Amino acid sequence: MTETLAPTDAGLARAAALLAEGELVAFPTETVYGLGGDARSDMAVARIFEAKGRPRFNPLIVHLPDLEAARSVGVFDDLAERVASAFWPGPLTLVVPLRPSARLSPLVTADLPSVAIRVPEHPVAQRLLRAFGGPVAAPSANPSGKISPTRADHVLSGLDGKIAAVVDGGACAVGLESTILGLVGEPAILRPGGIPAEALEACLGRPLPSGGDSAKPTAPGQLLSHYAPAAPVRLNADKPEPGEFWLGFGPEAAGADLNLSETGDLVEAAANLFHFLRQADASATGPIAVSPILEKGLGRAINDRLRRAAAPRG
Ligand code: TXA
Ligand code: MG
């Protein structure tokens, strides 16, 4: 079911066309194989989470062919320009402020005001990104909780039938994910990886705090405050109380003010989630009542996000 494409001009043209249709294509980078989707498409990014079976909408890395393209998605200050010029293309991801005109799906950034950007060096990744001509969201191409793939057959053993294609570019050289350097606020290493901390410290001329190799697990996406609606949120609402804004799900929610998916499709609901939460918040004059959502597949990630939206604020 999943096509295996050779890294030829024809194979890469096919891969780029699939990406443009909102399909998922795994491709080699020098670190690991990435599971790519159009970072501007809500449905494509929702499909990434579905294919991986991720229980959370943690933010994804956006892949671009060069620094110039990266500047259209993120805001690069002097420090960011210096590190990017020194290490790109290569196994380094930079977290920088999101450029509002980037028009990325909010699912890519988990609705954060920052974005993780990587310019990979692998020639096949380079050619695919240029053929596609847009930002590609790509976590490692493995089911959630499994080992990251460094060969096309590893990708297939986990995701065959769940993605449109894999570009076979042989084995990855680094075999370990990219180092993630956070440049929003004080520079910090958010995840150790292919570029050693010492090399970054030498470039920046200062020591870098690192949470990545200490006892404390680093989950950068969770450390940042997420957008929460100003209105109170009531979950598992079969129908709204008077004065509530009804954010529905499925055919049972006919008459809802907004419906995450009228047909009860979880991928569509995930694609709409961040947009509709904002819309509900803007329109609601009272609490937001949200229909129950099945706790399975993407429903788990949707419910995780909704529980955060409904949690008491500090
Ligand atoms: O080597 C790699 O980096 C591979 C290949 C495919 O490029 N990609 C990869 O992507 O590992 P992914 O999506 O699995 O990595 C996401 C990591 C998570 O730890 C996430 O928390 C962090 O990047 N991240 C993404 N956006 C962030 C943001 N705005 N702020 C802080 N951390 C962010
Ligand atoms: Mg991974």
Side-chain angles (χ1 to χ4, degrees), residues 27 29 31-35 52 54 58-61 63 91 93 95-96 108-109 112-118 120 138-141 148 176-180 182 190-191 218-222 224:
F27 62 97
T29 78
T31 59
V32 299
Y33 273 74
L35 175 54
K52 283 187 66 86
R54 272 206 182 167
N58 43 352
L60 305 177
I61 296 175
H63 296 67
T93 295
V95 176
V96 296
V108 170
T109 53
L112 295 165
S114 58
V115 59
I117 307 178
R118 173 164 181 229
S140 54
S148 295
L176 172 80
E177 271 95 343
S178 61
T179 301
I180 303 181
L190 305 179
R191 180 181 75 184
T218 314
Q222 289 164 266
L224 297 153

Side-chain angles (χ1 to χ4, degrees), residues 89-298:
L92 177 69
T93 295
L94 299 179
V95 176
V96 296
L98 174 66
R99 192 173 284 286
S101 59
R103 300 196 177 280
L104 298 182
S105 167
L107 279 175
V108 170
T109 53
D111 224 10
L112 295 165
S114 58
V115 59
I117 307 178
R118 173 164 181 229
V119 173
E121 184 169 30
H122 197 294
V124 175
Q126 277 286 329
R127 284 161 65 212
L128 176 61
L129 291 170
R130 286 175 201 281
F132 176 58
V136 173
S140 54
N142 53 281
S144 186
K146 298 278 158 54
I147 292 168
S148 295
T150 52
R151 290 186 349 206
D153 57 302
H154 296 167
V155 174
L156 288 173
S157 76
L159 296 174
D160 194 11
K162 295 190 169 162
I163 62 176
V166 56
V167 180
D168 188 349
C172 302
V174 178
L176 172 80
E177 271 95 343
S178 61
T179 301
I180 303 181
L181 177 63
L183 292 175
V184 176
E186 276 303 296
I189 290 185
L190 305 179
R191 180 181 75 184
I195 298 276
E198 293 76 9
L200 295 171
E201 289 174 334
C203 175
L204 293 171
R206 64 167 103 183
L208 286 168
S210 159
D213 47 10
S214 75
K216 175 169 61 86
T218 314
Q222 289 164 266
L223 299 177
L224 297 153
S225 71
H226 279 60
Y227 168 79
V233 177
R234 186 168 70 87
L235 302 180
N236 297 312
D238 287 316
K239 51 174 176 308
E241 303 291 336
E244 282 184 332
F245 183 99
W246 191 12
L247 181 56
F249 173 71
E252 306 81 12
D257 294 292
L258 278 174
N259 197 322
L260 287 166
S261 168
E262 287 183 1
T263 59
D265 175 14
L266 289 168
V267 180
E268 185 185 15
N272 286 330
L273 182 64
F274 290 107
H275 297 292
F276 284 14
L277 274 177
R278 280 183 188 266
Q279 248 174 277
D281 201 22
S283 322
T285 50
I288 301 168
V290 189
S291 290
I293 290 166
L294 220 59
E295 184 73 11
K296 90 165 213 271
L298 264 185

Side-chain angles (χ1 to χ4, degrees), residues 26-88:
F27 62 97
T29 78
E30 67 275 22
T31 59
V32 299
Y33 273 74
L35 175 54
D38 184 344
R40 298 160 301 192
S41 160
D42 295 311
M43 283 298 279
V45 182
R47 287 195 188 104
I48 292 178
F49 285 96
E50 188 196 36
K52 283 187 66 86
R54 272 206 182 167
R56 285 212 173 128
F57 294 119
N58 43 352
L60 305 177
I61 296 175
V62 175
H63 296 67
L64 288 159
D66 52 37
L67 175 55
E68 195 192 336
R71 288 192 197 106
S72 68
V73 169
V75 179
F76 286 70
D77 63 10
D78 292 347
L79 212 59
E81 287 281 338
R82 198 197 312 165
V83 203
S85 310
F87 294 97
W88 280 353

